[in-house]
């Protein structure tokens, strides 16, 4: 659709000479996200050529977790995750996608293997926890670290909006709407995925003591 298009760049009020765009699509084009999703889906289909993931049902395995350009590979065995990681890098490179070896992280649970995973001849950092889609994933499998992190974020947002809370020209109803949409939502984002346990439910009230008042000054 965009074959043969040309562009110019404005710098210091000067217009550059025209140049031909030979890769990608026009900025803002709706096809961009669709094409990217198709490409990533193809890469994963070519990468996972045989079951190596976590046993999900009696006949199925969970191989990966994907959202936009975030990919999480899963496996019970080091050998399998090593093979899948290396294959992902190789297949992606075939279509011009180079995976940065500085960004991927690995986390292992209940394993005695300490050998680092390799991708594109580089070792992937092994960590105790990492952030995925705005939530903290830790090897303990709990939510306490994630909740504490959210409390810190809530406090920051609440303090940032202090001029709004102290402004007497803003209606209390408006302040309450801002509080619910900009403050409370930060803490509750992703809460539907939290794993509820008795220890966590008992600690949640004490953790929430560090939250700002649920009733902002009106």
């Amino acid at each position: 659709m965009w074959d043969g298009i040309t562009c110019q760049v404005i710098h210091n009020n000067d217009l550059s000479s025209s140049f031909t765009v030979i890769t990608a699509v026009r900025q803002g084009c709706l096809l961009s996200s669709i094409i990217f999703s198709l490409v990533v889906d193809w890469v994963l289909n070519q990468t996972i050529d045989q079951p190596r993931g976590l046993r999900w049902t009696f006949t199925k395995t969970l191989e990966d977790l994907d959202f936009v350009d975030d990919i999480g590979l899963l496996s019970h065995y080091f050998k399998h995750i090593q093979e899948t990681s290396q294959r992902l890098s190789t297949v992606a490179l075939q279509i011009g996608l180079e995976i940065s070896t500085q960004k991927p992280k690995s986390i292992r649970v209940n394993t005695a293997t300490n050998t680092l995973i390799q991708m594109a001849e580089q070792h992937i950092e092994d960590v105790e926890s990492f952030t995925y889609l705005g939530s903290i994933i830790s090897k303990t499998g709990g939510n306490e670290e994630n909740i504490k992190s959210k409390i810190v974020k809530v406090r920051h947002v609440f303090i940032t909006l202090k001029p709004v809370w102290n402004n007497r020209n803003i209606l209390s109803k408006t302040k309450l709407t801002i509080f619910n949409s900009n403050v409370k939502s930060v803490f509750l984002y992703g809460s539907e995925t939290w794993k509820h346990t008795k220890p966590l439910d008992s600690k949640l009230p004490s953790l929430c003591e560090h939250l700002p008042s649920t009733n902002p000054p009106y």
Side-chain angles (χ1 to χ4, degrees):
M1 179 180 292
W2 305 121
D3 185 37
I5 64 172
T6 59
C7 294
Q8 292 177 287
V9 177
I10 298 178
H11 179 65
N12 291 333
N13 296 324
D14 293 328
L15 192 63
S16 71
S17 56
S18 300
F19 58 91
T20 303
V21 178
I22 58 176
T23 60
V25 296
R26 181 176 294 178
Q27 186 174 3
C29 176
L30 295 177
L31 286 176
S32 179
S33 58
I34 298 175
I35 293 175
F36 182 81
S37 296
L38 292 174
V39 170
V40 171
D41 188 60
W42 181 86
V43 169
L44 288 173
N45 284 334
Q46 296 298 311
T47 298
I48 304 171
D49 57 340
Q50 56 181 299
R52 296 190 183 95
L54 302 180
R55 177 63 60 186
W56 191 245
T57 66
F58 183 74
T59 59
K60 296 181 179 180
T61 57
L62 183 61
E63 305 290 342
D64 53 276
L65 302 174
D66 317 312
F67 184 79
V68 192
D69 59 344
D70 288 313
I71 299 173
L73 300 178
L74 310 171
S75 180
H76 281 296
Y77 304 101
F78 172 81
K79 177 183 177 181
H80 290 170
I81 197 66
Q82 175 61 76
E83 292 174 351
T84 305
S85 300
Q86 196 62 48
R87 184 170 176 80
L88 173 65
S89 177
T90 302
V91 174
L93 197 60
Q94 293 176 1
I95 55 175
L97 293 179
E98 183 176 354
I99 299 177
S100 171
T101 56
Q102 302 301 317
K103 292 183 178 180
K105 307 295 180 184
S106 68
I107 187 170
R108 59 192 75 203
V109 180
N110 296 330
T111 176
T113 303
N114 296 320
T115 307
L116 295 178
I117 300 170
Q118 281 191 324
M119 180 180 289
E121 300 183 355
Q122 297 291 327
H123 288 110
I124 296 177
E125 182 184 3
D126 198 26
V127 297
E128 298 288 324
S129 64
F130 61 89
T131 302
Y132 181 71
L133 303 181
S135 297
I136 295 179
I137 309 297
S138 68
K139 64 191 319 177
T140 62
N143 296 307
E144 187 170 335
E145 299 94 337
N146 190 36
I147 292 175
K148 287 182 177 179
S149 173
K150 287 182 178 294
I151 289 176
V152 173
K153 294 178 181 179
V154 167
R155 290 180 63 87
H156 174 72
V157 174
F158 186 87
I159 294 173
T160 301
L161 291 171
K162 187 175 180 179
V164 175
W165 313 139
N166 295 336
N167 193 325
R168 298 183 179 277
N169 295 322
I170 300 178
L171 297 175
S172 297
K173 182 179 179 180
T174 302
K175 291 181 180 180
L176 183 60
T177 300
I178 295 174
F179 178 79
N180 289 332
S181 61
N182 292 52
V183 180
K184 189 182 294 185
S185 61
V186 172
F187 180 71
L188 296 178
Y189 177 78
S191 60
E192 62 273 8
T193 64
W194 294 351
K195 181 178 68 175
H196 286 276
T197 61
K198 288 184 177 180
L200 177 61
D201 290 341
S202 63
K203 290 180 180 180
L204 194 55
S206 61
L207 290 172
C208 289
E209 289 177 0
H210 301 287
L211 278 170
S213 171
T214 54
N215 296 310
Y218 298 143

